[in-house]
Amino acid sequence: MSNNQKSLYRTYRPSTFNDVAGHTNVVEILKKQLMENKISHALLFTGQRGTGKTSIARIFAKSVNCENLLDGITCEECNSCINSNSNQSPDITEIDAASNNGVDEIRNIKNNVSTLPILGKYKIYIIDEVHMLTKAAFNALLKTLEEPPVHALFILATTEYSKLPATIISRCQTFNFKKIDKDSLKKRIDFITQKEGYSINEQVLNEIYFLSEGSLRDALNILEQLMLVSEKEITIEALKNIFYIATKEEKIQVIKNVLNGESDEVISYFEKADSQGMDFDVFSLSLIEIIKEIIEFSLTKNGEHLKNISKTEAGLFDGVKIDDLFLLADNLSEAYAKTKGTSINFNYLLINLLKSIGNYKLELKDFTSIKNNVDIIEPVIGSVSESQTIVEPIDQNVINEEPILSEVIEEENPEDIENVEVDQTIVQLEQETIEPEVKLFEKEQTSVFAIDDSFQVPLDSISEEEFETDETTIEETTVEPEFKMTESELIEILTQESVKARSLESYSVSINEIMNVLVAPEKTKRELIEKAINDIFKTDAGYLIDPLSAKEMFPLFNVKVPAVSKNMILIVTNSIGSAKLINSKLTLKVFKEELFKQLGGEYIVYAFDNNKWDDTKKEYMTLKANNSLPTQIVVDTQNYYKKVLDAKLVSSENSKFLNKVADMFDFDINIGD
């Protein structure tokens, strides 16, 4: 390693925009401002730690005063650039708001901001962790931030955007720094590793990315530790010894064990890994990444996009049903989203994998498990070779226990049900003999008459008397089979209807309406409402207990209930189509009455998607920080639904009118969002 005792992230801090890893959109906008000399007087950089906010702030501060700027890139040779690189520029002031958060520090800025810059055209103030400023300091900054002298430039950086007052945000041009993309981070790590005289392979780079969660600073700290225990080559073994991560082979084996239904092996591996301190957040992410590549390869047979596994490794799963892979990915994603950063991530991840095994055991009758050096899953086609051992069919009387339902965490990201792969519809008939329905026009038929694929009766076995009944008096009697439905069938209905509903002109819920519920929430009532909705979709042995109610209320399947207040309920859905579907259904009397019966009272239901929920939470936090939350307004339930219904009727009449106009003038009118 270099003799320089500074940390790697300080040694290799980018000096120009060309050195920046990722953030292409941010860099391009800033360079465009420099080239066209349209520089905003106040910039706000927000995003997670270690993604380059302060580094890019310093590069931009140096760039605005560069004497020989070319295409937005600094020359690195003029006096301004040289002084900036040595942190001695008299025109750049950098303040750490975490330790200088009082009103006095801001007053000093106000007093000095009017003086002219010494070397360049601009006087730049970089305020890092600006959310740490006190309320008085923010108030002191407001006027200066809104109307600074023409030679003054403010760059604010924060990891806590929600803690900033709206008055500050509105005065700045905001840039959102997301986590650094995988390719950019790996390329930068590889470059620094080579500069330090080490070599590193692709597998280690992938694991460093998962460990760092897109933070280049964290990634360089990991790399620095690896260099201390490595000679000239950084290996996966070194990484595993320090951070105890799973090797690629171990991850592939865990996936195969789950798909083969080998619960003993999965439990044994997890218990051992937990005792050695494995980071299960990283493990979950890397498992999902591998499954994603297996799915891609299964669908396309194209190895071009394989980065974590080889074609040979992806080919080991050729016999696996694609639905099983989707289900496994869903269960892993759910475990990661609900437990990230918590102490129960190991337990919940293991439970979700075992839940997956429970589902596969009903489906894996057509698979074999080959025991050589590794277990390979292949479909049973025709005869079975001697090296294969057929998995015994699972007794159909064996019933899986109902999955454990965890408490919904309000901040989690719900599963996207529109992407769920669904099984084909299964209709269970009663076991006793059912007389088939026979109609007169079928008298001459000689083919097999089928109620469905599972029940067939030859027409020849039916007596002649059944066909000699007078047509005017014939009584057609049909014995209806018992109606049953699985969760998968319900999801299929919801998915199809949600897609159709995207084009509906349903009532759109406003942020003000949502805020009206949030300002006076009732926790106990929320829990009761959430339980009442969940109870509609309870299952037993894989089938819905009350399939008729579940089918009627299907738009409410898998929704979140973040808040309830008085007679108002908030419903968050995975997609705008699902939200529109609920709001549209609420204009129907039958749906409303059934819902109110399930909830035990009449409620105003506001349904909206995740994006609107995220926007509302930000608005709520801003208002709360400024003590500006509104007072709740009680809304009458009957009047509310009358208003919604009236709006729907008006919209319908408008649509009819527009269609008539279109017919008259022979052109198309698209009515939608």
Side-chain angles (χ1 to χ4, degrees), residues 68-97:
N68 305 303
L69 196 69
L70 180 63
D71 295 333
I73 304 300
T74 54
C75 68
E76 302 295 298
E77 295 177 354
C78 66
N79 287 335
S80 179
C81 286
I82 293 171
N83 282 295
S84 295
N85 288 336
S86 59
N87 295 323
Q88 294 178 346
S89 174
D91 298 330
I92 300 176
T93 302
E94 189 170 338
I95 299 172
D96 175 21

Side-chain angles (χ1 to χ4, degrees), residues 34 66 116 127 139 147 154 167 188 192 238 249 273 365 375 530 539 561-562 576 607-608 624 645:
L34 291 167
C66 178
L116 294 173
I127 306 178
N139 290 334
E147 296 177 1
F154 286 88
T167 48
R188 186 67 177 168
I192 293 172
E249 290 74 19
K365 292 179 292 181
D375 293 336
E530 189 170 63
T539 59
V561 183
I576 192 168
F608 48 94
K624 186 176 180 181
L645 186 58

Side-chain angles (χ1 to χ4, degrees), residues 71 90-91 191 209 234 275 336 352 357 369 409 420 443 472 530 538 576 594 614:
D71 295 333
D91 298 330
F191 168 77
Y209 171 78
I234 298 175
S275 67
Y336 177 77
N352 266 29
I357 289 177
S369 174
I409 302 170
V420 175
K443 182 175 181 181
T472 58
E530 189 170 63
K538 272 189 174 181
I576 192 168
E594 177 64 20
D614 290 340

Side-chain angles (χ1 to χ4, degrees), residues 204-217:
V204 179
L205 288 172
N206 286 330
E207 295 300 338
I208 290 177
Y209 171 78
F210 291 128
L211 284 167
S212 65
E213 295 184 329
S215 167
L216 183 56
R217 184 168 62 225

Side-chain angles (χ1 to χ4, degrees), residues 252-266:
I252 291 174
Q253 188 61 50
V254 167
I255 295 171
K256 287 193 291 185
N257 287 339
V258 172
L259 294 171
N260 271 328
E262 297 166 345
S263 54
D264 287 345
E265 286 79 357
V266 174

Side-chain angles (χ1 to χ4, degrees), residues 454-492:
S454 63
F455 184 79
Q456 296 184 338
V457 180
L459 286 182
D460 295 340
S461 65
I462 302 175
S463 64
E464 289 295 325
E465 287 78 4
E466 293 178 341
F467 295 108
E468 294 173 355
T469 310
D470 183 64
E471 185 174 350
T472 58
T473 60
I474 186 169
E475 184 175 321
E476 298 180 5
T477 58
T478 304
V479 180
E480 292 291 337
E482 179 185 354
F483 176 66
K484 291 187 177 182
M485 178 179 282
T486 64
E487 271 194 9
S488 295
E489 294 164 12
L490 192 66
I491 290 172
E492 182 175 19

Side-chain angles (χ1 to χ4, degrees), residues 34 37-41 61 63-65 89-92 115-125 149-153:
L34 291 167
N37 198 27
K38 296 180 179 178
I39 298 169
S40 177
H41 70 278
S63 300
V64 295
N65 283 336
S89 174
D91 298 330
I92 300 176
T115 60
L116 294 173
I118 297 172
L119 292 179
K121 295 182 294 183
Y122 290 92
K123 200 166 193 176
I124 305 103
Y125 293 90
V150 292
H151 60 264
L153 170 63

